[in-house]
Amino acid sequence: MTDREAARATAAEVGWPGIPTSMRLDADAPGAGPGTGHWHRQVDRLLAAVERSRAAVVQAPAGGVRDQLADLLHVIELRSARYERIAEVGQALWPDDDTTDADGTAPGERPDLGGAAQDIDARLVTALAHLTAVASAVEQIALAAAGTIAADRAALEVERLFRVSPPP
Amino acid sequence: MTTWWHPMVRATARRRLAAERAAALRRVDAWQPPLGTGLWRTAYGESCDAVLAYDRIVALVPAGPVRDELAGRRPDLLAMLDRVRYLAENGAALDPAGPVRDAELLALLAEDPHGDLGQQLGAPPSHLLMDALAAVRGAMWRATEEAARLAVHLQENAGATDTAIWLTALAAGVVSARRADWAP
């Protein structure tokens, strides 16, 4: 065992979770962007919510309502891009990757976040709840526009969704 | 003949050492100082991580005065890292394995017929160095966390209530359209 290997083994045992990034092998270096772990999964969830909105817009009957929803979809995509960059800040501050165990978490395991990283994660959770509410609202309006459900019921549901999950 | 104790030679050597140290700090190399393989190396590595995380965060901040200001603060972190290095090097010289008593010594003392003298020894003196190091490391991470909060704040849109208002109005519009028989 080389000195560096011994130092890494000690660090994994006694330090903060995982091995300090400055002591890792190149292969275990933090992933770029949102990485390949926790922050990447958060981005995937956000993109899934946007995709759900996009699918609902396509199903709305052609006309003014669909045009309005399509315009709104662009706003949602821009907002989602902002959240993605916030996730990247989370990865920069508290890297988590499924491609290595050197970060102290097994693949798929949620890191035990603290401080600003925890705040950023909470911010993303709120953002995800809102984007999910937006997707549900778009679905309701698309169904109401198509006459599949009663418009009154859809309006009430949209109002309830944004009362429960207000914008972050 | 100029000997090693000549003031000019010593001044040159001091400058060279200072330049080498500054270059090492710019690289933020966790392996550079002679800290062994124990706790001191880990503590120094965790401090280097604060600078590396800071660099990654600054790189994500959109170009502009905020980013310039954050980049301009990097030397402050390097100065703190220099302090960490000083404390770690001293700690590693005193107690290479870290601020802990030798396990074999404690076992021997525990066998003493007059009682467990190991309990009376207390913590080794180098634990004060580790405490001081932890304080500086904590300050470094707080600075990095503040940079992260700032980076997030720049990405936030405080007026992002339009989506909810828009959809609520659109839903109400569909209701009106239905009542007026404008929709199919």
Side-chain angles (χ1 to χ4, degrees):
Chain A
M1 184 184 263
T2 66
D3 279 357
R4 290 194 178 193
E5 286 168 345
R8 285 190 198 102
T10 304
E13 199 178 322
V14 302
W16 295 342
I19 301 168
T21 56
S22 55
M23 292 172 63
R24 292 185 201 169
L25 293 167
D26 287 345
D28 296 321
T36 58
H38 174 72
W39 304 104
H40 190 267
R41 286 192 291 278
Q42 293 286 51
V43 169
D44 277 351
R45 290 182 191 114
L46 292 166
L47 293 178
V50 175
E51 194 52 44
R52 204 177 132 196
S53 293
R54 189 178 292 118
V57 172
V58 171
Q59 285 176 358
V65 173
R66 182 156 141 186
D67 292 346
Q68 288 277 310
L69 290 176
D71 287 347
L72 182 84
L73 189 59
H74 180 60
V75 174
I76 296 169
E77 285 167 347
L78 291 174
R79 195 149 299 159
S80 170
R82 280 177 177 270
Y83 298 144
E84 273 183 62
R85 277 191 279 282
I86 289 174
E88 287 176 4
V89 175
Q91 168 74 1
L93 178 64
W94 196 299
D96 183 71
D97 291 286
D98 285 355
T99 44
T100 178
D101 289 340
D103 56 11
T105 57
E109 184 185 351
R110 189 185 185 284
D112 190 14
L113 301 172
Q118 196 175 23
D119 297 344
I120 292 169
D121 195 46
R123 176 77 176 71
L124 290 175
V125 168
T126 310
L128 177 62
H130 178 63
L131 281 188
T132 304
V134 166
S136 299
V138 170
E139 284 170 350
Q140 292 290 320
I141 292 169
L143 289 171
T148 310
I149 61 170
D152 289 349
R153 198 183 118 198
L156 283 173
E157 180 61 13
V158 169
E159 191 270 328
R160 187 195 67 81
L161 281 166
F162 291 124
R163 197 175 58 245
V164 175
S165 298
Chain B
M1 182 181 160
T2 308
T3 50
W4 66 269
W5 62 82
H6 190 280
M8 274 180 62
V9 174
R10 289 173 64 189
T12 306
R14 269 201 305 273
R15 276 199 299 276
R16 185 172 50 78
L17 280 173
E20 282 175 5
R21 176 164 238 177
L25 282 170
R26 275 196 295 277
R27 286 199 305 274
V28 192
D29 184 352
W31 301 111
Q32 209 275 334
L35 299 174
T37 60
L39 291 170
W40 302 104
R41 175 79 65 195
T42 302
Y44 184 70
E46 288 166 351
S47 305
C48 287
D49 279 13
V51 184
L52 297 178
Y54 188 86
D55 289 346
R56 290 194 297 267
I57 290 162
V58 171
L60 289 171
V61 173
V66 176
R67 182 167 165 177
D68 293 344
E69 177 68 22
L70 286 173
R73 302 258 170 173
R74 190 177 191 265
D76 296 344
L77 278 182
L78 291 182
M80 287 195 263
L81 187 62
D82 195 21
R83 176 75 181 149
V84 168
R85 178 184 169 137
Y86 172 79
L87 293 165
E89 282 180 352
N90 279 291
L94 278 172
D95 288 315
V100 287
R101 294 284 183 199
D102 182 60
E104 285 184 22
L105 173 67
L106 290 176
L108 284 171
L109 290 172
E111 291 172 6
D112 193 289
H114 296 292
D116 187 354
L117 298 176
Q119 299 287 335
Q120 296 171 31
L121 274 178
S126 66
H127 89 276
L128 295 172
L129 288 169
M130 186 57 93
D131 287 351
L133 187 157
V136 181
R137 182 184 57 192
M140 292 176 74
W141 273 105
R142 279 194 293 281
T144 300
E145 291 204 333
E146 281 311 305
R149 285 196 170 98
L150 195 56
V152 167
H153 189 61
L154 287 174
Q155 295 296 342
E156 284 178 328
N157 182 359
T161 55
D162 52 347
T163 316
I165 293 168
W166 194 340
L167 282 169
T168 306
L170 191 56
V174 174
V175 172
S176 302
R178 288 234 165 257
R179 281 182 187 150
D181 278 342
W182 289 345

